[in-house]
Amino acid sequence: MEKDATGQLAVIQLDLYGESSMYDNQWITWVGIDVQDPPFYLIGWCTDPWKPFPLSPPSDYQKIWTIFKTATSFTIFCNEKKMFSFDIPPSSYEYSCNSFCGGNITQRIAFGKGDANRNAALYYRALPENERSKYM
């Protein structure tokens, strides 16, 4: 991860658009990874405020972050190491998280603004279908 224009490590922001129990093909949430040492994460509507990952990322210089969303969970990996898994609570538990993030389909994604996100967008690749099983 490169530093932003101010010399600070920056946040990677991935905006998710798609189907939820409230919306179809609209912005539903975002996932943020603050790559400072130690790194922090945030899932919009679900994990506010920012929290440190429960595990340390691999010590590799290059870090590849993988965000995997299903209808019921988010999982974040760093260099194929599971860093964090979050189960979306039932709708009776936390209205906002389930209403916005619960749902099976992400129809498109977009990266936030800033140098970190421009860099992330350059290296983004959709995970091929035949590789998805190792993240489930």
Side-chain angles (χ1 to χ4, degrees), residues 20-63:
S20 72
S21 60
M22 292 182 67
Y23 298 108
D24 183 32
N25 199 23
Q26 294 193 24
W27 180 85
I28 53 174
T29 192
W30 68 283
V31 177
I33 300 173
D34 185 335
V35 296
Q36 66 181 320
D37 189 17
F40 286 75
Y41 68 90
L42 186 141
I43 299 171
W45 304 110
C46 297
T47 65
D48 196 28
W50 289 86
K51 296 180 181 347
F53 283 100
L55 301 171
S56 296
S59 61
D60 306 340
Y61 176 75
Q62 181 179 19
K63 293 185 174 38

Side-chain angles (χ1 to χ4, degrees), residues 4-133:
D4 69 10
T6 65
Q8 300 296 310
L9 291 175
V11 172
I12 299 168
Q13 177 180 330
L14 185 64
D15 293 316
L16 299 157
Y17 296 81
E19 179 184 300
S20 72
S21 60
M22 292 182 67
Y23 298 108
D24 183 32
N25 199 23
Q26 294 193 24
W27 180 85
I28 53 174
T29 192
W30 68 283
V31 177
I33 300 173
D34 185 335
V35 296
Q36 66 181 320
D37 189 17
F40 286 75
Y41 68 90
L42 186 141
I43 299 171
W45 304 110
C46 297
T47 65
D48 196 28
W50 289 86
K51 296 180 181 347
F53 283 100
L55 301 171
S56 296
S59 61
D60 306 340
Y61 176 75
Q62 181 179 19
K63 293 185 174 38
I64 298 172
W65 294 92
T66 303
I67 300 166
F68 195 78
K69 182 193 178 295
T70 69
T72 59
S73 69
F74 283 92
T75 308
I76 300 174
F77 297 83
C78 182
N79 295 6
E80 298 185 2
K81 176 183 178 181
K82 184 191 268 187
M83 298 292 296
F84 171 74
S85 185
F86 177 80
D87 291 330
I88 297 170
S91 59
S92 61
Y93 175 75
E94 177 58 52
Y95 174 77
S96 295
C97 183
N98 183 279
S99 296
F100 287 93
C101 300
N104 200 356
I105 297 173
T106 298
Q107 295 166 330
R108 66 186 174 96
I109 64 165
F111 288 93
K113 297 178 181 175
D115 291 344
N117 289 293
R118 279 190 288 280
N119 290 335
L122 288 174
Y123 295 101
Y124 165 78
R125 72 175 180 86
L127 193 62
E129 187 119 3
N130 64 342
E131 291 183 31
R132 293 179 186 174
S133 63

